[in-house]
């Protein structure tokens, strides 16, 4: 994810003019947010899921977009659009179908 972010920044810096000044302070906070909020969080989640069964770990990973949406709506007052609600509904429906079908196969 870090490589994608850096690649996107490099592409944008060569192909467009930024409407803001890119200062050392902005670069510092970009790097901190990229490393802490993305890389370390994902690493901690992955390492933490070694202690649970593989099915539980996969369900937790599948629910990640729903948690992200709930946090963004709660903390950032993001507007909940129809597309996002349909996406959450599809994820929850797939989980319910998985649970229902896996119980039937046991």
């Amino acid at each position: 994810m870090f490589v994608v972010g850096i690649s996107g920044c490099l592409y944008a810096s060569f192909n467009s003019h930024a409407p803001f000044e890119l200062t050392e302070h902005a670069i510092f906070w970009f790097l901190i947010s990229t490393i802490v909020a993305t890389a370390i969080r994902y690493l901690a989640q992955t390492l933490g899921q070694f202690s649970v069964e593989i099915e539980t770990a996969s369900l937790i990973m599948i629910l990640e977009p729903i948690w992200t949406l709930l946090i963004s709506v709660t903390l950032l007052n993001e507007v909940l659009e129809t597309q996002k609600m349909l996406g959450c509904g599809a994820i929850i429906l797939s989980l319910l179908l998985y649970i229902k079908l896996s119980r039937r196969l046991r």
Side-chain angles (χ1 to χ4, degrees), residues 32-45:
I32 292 296
S33 66
T34 303
I35 292 169
V36 173
T38 304
I40 293 175
R41 181 213 49 89
Y42 195 77
L43 177 65
Q45 182 179 5

Side-chain angles (χ1 to χ4, degrees), residues 1-8 30-31 34-35 38-39:
M1 288 186 251
F2 181 75
V3 173
V4 172
I6 294 297
S7 301
F30 170 76
L31 291 174
T34 303
I35 292 169
T38 304

